[in-house]
Amino acid sequence: MTGLDAAGTSTPADGQGSCGPECEQALGRLFAYVDRELEPGDADQVRQHIEDCRPCLDEIAVETMLKELVKRCCQDKAPADLRVKIHAQLTTLRVSRTL
């Protein structure tokens, strides 16, 4: 995980190394990388960086674990009547906006 140093620059929380522009760029695209939303070339750049940078590798491991935990814990389905209520509200809003 990253923190901020005295200058407000992002730094690894474990104190290993210093985060430079490459780390800033990789961490800025971390969520998109974890969600597989990057173009192949961009994903390759992030992948290569995290393979060579221990603090960023640790950061992506934490983010991936957090994403999996949220996914596992949020498997409950909303009640069927909730969908009906939301649909009715959206229909009401849509009709009132067109009038």
Side-chain angles (χ1 to χ4, degrees):
M1 296 201 13
T2 59
L4 294 179
D5 64 13
T9 312
S10 186
T11 60
D14 61 8
Q16 296 178 356
S18 62
C19 265
E22 290 180 7
C23 291
E24 293 292 327
Q25 188 176 41
L27 293 174
R29 298 184 295 177
L30 183 64
F31 291 115
Y33 177 79
V34 170
D35 291 337
R36 296 184 176 125
E37 295 174 346
L38 292 178
E39 295 294 323
D42 291 335
D44 290 341
Q45 287 177 342
V46 173
R47 184 179 310 105
Q48 182 63 46
H49 177 80
I50 62 175
E51 287 175 358
D52 297 335
C53 180
R54 178 61 190 242
C56 289
L57 178 63
D58 291 344
E59 182 71 18
I60 199 164
V62 169
E63 296 302 331
T64 302
M65 191 173 12
L66 179 63
K67 182 178 174 74
E68 288 300 316
L69 180 63
V70 169
K71 183 179 177 181
R72 199 171 0 146
C73 292
C74 298
Q75 295 278 331
D76 296 335
K77 292 187 177 183
D81 62 326
L82 178 60
R83 183 182 185 283
V84 172
K85 290 176 184 178
I86 292 171
H87 188 287
Q89 284 288 351
L90 290 173
T91 301
T92 301
L93 289 172
R94 198 173 300 134
V95 169
S96 65
R97 284 189 176 170
T98 59
L99 293 177

